[in-house]
Amino acid sequence: MADKLNGQKVLLCVAGGIAAYKALELVRRLREAGAEVQVAMTDGAQQFVTPLSFQALSGHPTRTSLWDSAAEASMGHIELARWADRVLIAPATAGVLAKLAHGLADDLVSTLCLATTAPLTLAPAMNQRMWQHPATQANLATLRSRGAQVIGPEEGLLAEGESGPGRLSEPAAIVAALAGSAAAAPTDAALQGLKIVVSAGPTFEDLDPVRYLGNRSSGKMGFAVADSAARRGANVVLVAGPVHLPTPAGVTRVDVRSAAQMRDAVFAALPADVYVGAAAVADYTPRVPATRKIKKSGESLALDLVRTPDILSEVAAQTQALKLVVGFAAETENLVEYARGKLMAKRLDLIVANRVGVADGGFESDRNAMTALWKDGQREFVAGPKTRLADELIDLIVERLQA
Ligand code: PMT
């Protein structure tokens, strides 16, 4: 995926936060991926790292001021803004996000961002309370609505000794996400007018009026996929099991409870071009749910369960063929082997394997690590936020549609 950056001109803007030191590693990784990199720094960034360090790593003079007559004589800031194929701000501080959201142009970085037409990628890093502040979130929403790609931040220990969201994503993850979106222009065009049905979350199979069989799926992965596809122009129907998540903008949501209801809602949403089965559908349901609360009696209780419909297999077997049927596989071991088995058995075009039962991934977590498999190929997705993985999965779906 990183070869998507080969030959790309990346303008890296570094803002003033302790994570600025990680931007040095970012320059190295971007250049390894084949990108040409120029760096612009805010005054704050220069309190943490010297322009000379970036100059040594990028091979270009580092730009630090709007009013540097020598720099303006060689490549003025407007030319630099035009030069860039992509603009990446890492770390993007709360201050920089606020300036960009409001169109301020009072220093080199904010002016470059206003003067460029290149796609903008933001890798935020800041104190967790600054990140969670409604002002920062509103600024981000504004920037997202204008098409900015946002990578991270990650959760973890912050410089102040607190823990929470606010850490700059790892340079490798930023480069991977940037490489994914370097192919974004044709990708977005390819999604226009396409209908994508996504299933997400668990199903609950009622045993009696008060109890059910369920699982730990939060719906985060499926909702992120629906959100990513909708943001990029697809017409998305999201069939959601019982979860507590807001509906992504522009998505048509159908709430269901059981596997049988999910099947009906998915089929009601067809025909479609693509189906993504990210839901953790129960494999068994009570043969007959009790109409009254099951009373305690005896030392053990046997449940009579029957198989639920396999929604994914049924969709894949549709004669009124979809262009692409994508399954997920949640496995605790032999990830790739089992997933490839499901790819074949369910006659899927693509399957996304993720390891569950581990900390920092799978069910409930905001993060995941995935391996996508298709008939004659495989792609690893570097561990990271489900939102970024969803964007990368949509990239892959577009590639497979065009293959
Ligand atoms: O929701 P999150 O907390 O974000 O967690 C995400 C996730 C781990 C639930 C998700 O990434 C995931 O792996 N979803 C599939 C979980 C699962 O049920 O895997 P499975 O191996 O049991 O099923 C394989 C595929 O068949 C899945 O696409 C599933 O939707 C589908 N299936 C399974 C059973 C069934 N009766 N009908 C189906 O359509």
Side-chain angles (χ1 to χ4, degrees):
M1 177 67 85
D3 61 355
K4 298 257 170 62
L5 288 173
N6 200 12
Q8 291 265 307
K9 297 186 181 101
V10 178
L11 174 58
L12 172 63
C13 298
V14 185
I18 179 64
Y21 79 92
K22 282 194 184 174
L24 293 170
E25 162 89 355
L26 196 50
V27 175
R28 190 177 66 72
R29 288 192 176 260
L30 285 167
R31 292 196 70 190
E32 275 171 9
E36 190 181 345
V37 184
Q38 296 217 44
V39 180
M41 300 175 78
T42 64
D43 288 348
Q46 293 167 63
Q47 302 295 319
F48 293 95
V49 192
T50 67
L52 200 59
S53 308
F54 283 107
Q55 180 168 319
L57 287 167
S58 70
H60 287 285
T62 302
R63 301 293 298 267
T64 53
S65 168
L66 260 181
W67 314 114
D68 178 339
S69 51
E72 286 295 310
S74 57
M75 191 189 240
H77 64 276
I78 297 292
E79 280 167 80
L80 186 57
R82 282 203 197 114
W83 169 87
D85 293 322
R86 305 200 58 84
V87 176
L88 166 63
I89 309 189
T93 57
V96 161
L97 296 179
K99 280 189 190 184
L100 264 49
H102 293 89
L104 287 185
D106 62 351
D107 65 2
L108 178 65
V109 165
S110 54
T111 304
L112 284 168
C113 290
L114 209 57
T116 189
T117 53
L120 179 66
T121 298
L122 306 163
M126 65 197 73
N127 166 275
Q128 59 161 330
R129 275 185 290 277
M130 293 171 79
W131 169 250
Q132 284 160 344
H133 195 286
T136 304
Q137 291 302 314
N139 291 332
L140 262 173
T142 301
L143 293 166
R144 273 202 175 102
S145 73
R146 292 186 201 141
Q149 178 193 24
V150 181
I151 303 170
E154 308 282 320
E155 294 217 13
L157 197 62
L158 304 173
E160 310 82 0
E162 295 178 358
S163 197
R167 279 167 69 97
L168 183 71
S169 293
E170 288 306 316
I174 295 175
V175 171
L178 197 69
S181 68
T187 297
D188 288 354
L191 284 172
Q192 297 297 324
L194 220 66
K195 182 168 176 189
I196 303 188
V197 178
V198 181
S199 70
T203 64
F204 286 176
E205 310 300 321
D206 289 333
L207 293 167
D208 67 15
V210 294
R211 306 181 183 94
Y212 60 85
L213 295 172
N215 64 67
R216 291 172 49 191
S217 170
S218 63
K220 288 176 186 169
M221 191 69 235
F223 273 57
V225 171
D227 180 42
S228 175
R231 268 191 289 110
R232 294 162 61 174
N235 169 13
V236 180
V237 178
L238 173 62
V239 179
V243 294
H244 303 283
L245 293 174
T247 308
V251 165
T252 304
R253 173 172 177 170
V254 183
D255 285 308
V256 298
R257 181 171 173 85
S258 65
Q261 288 171 359
M262 185 170 275
R263 182 206 172 274
D264 290 348
V266 166
F267 275 82
L270 299 182
D273 300 289
V274 178
Y275 174 67
V276 182
V281 186
D283 289 319
Y284 291 91
T285 191
R287 185 184 298 279
V288 187
T291 51
R292 297 194 181 161
K293 185 177 172 195
I294 300 169
K295 291 287 173 204
K296 224 182 322 184
S297 65
E299 284 308 305
S300 62
L301 173 71
L303 295 173
D304 184 11
L305 303 177
V306 292
R307 287 292 294 266
T308 54
D310 190 322
I311 306 166
L312 187 59
S313 298
E314 281 190 41
V315 171
Q318 278 282 296
T319 44
Q320 183 192 23
L322 288 88
K323 295 190 178 111
L324 206 76
V325 178
V326 184
F328 268 74
E331 307 291 353
T332 50
E333 72 268 318
N334 299 336
L335 197 67
V336 170
E337 190 188 326
Y338 286 157
R340 200 165 275 290
K342 283 180 187 167
L343 177 78
M344 299 302 173
K346 300 197 183 202
R347 296 163 166 269
L348 309 177
D349 300 300
L350 189 63
I351 194 155
V352 182
N354 47 190
R355 195 175 290 279
V356 292
V358 291
D360 203 28
F363 288 104
E364 294 170 316
S365 170
D366 287 330
R367 293 165 55 84
N368 214 354
M370 320 189 305
T371 305
L373 306 162
W374 58 99
K375 191 164 156 269
D376 45 16
Q378 179 168 331
R379 180 172 298 167
E380 298 296 328
F381 294 90
V382 181
K386 285 178 176 171
T387 45
R388 172 179 49 86
L389 295 171
D391 284 341
E392 292 175 13
L393 176 59
I394 294 294
D395 285 342
L396 179 58
I397 286 175
V398 171
E399 279 176 46
R400 298 311 305 153
L401 282 170
Q402 291 168 344

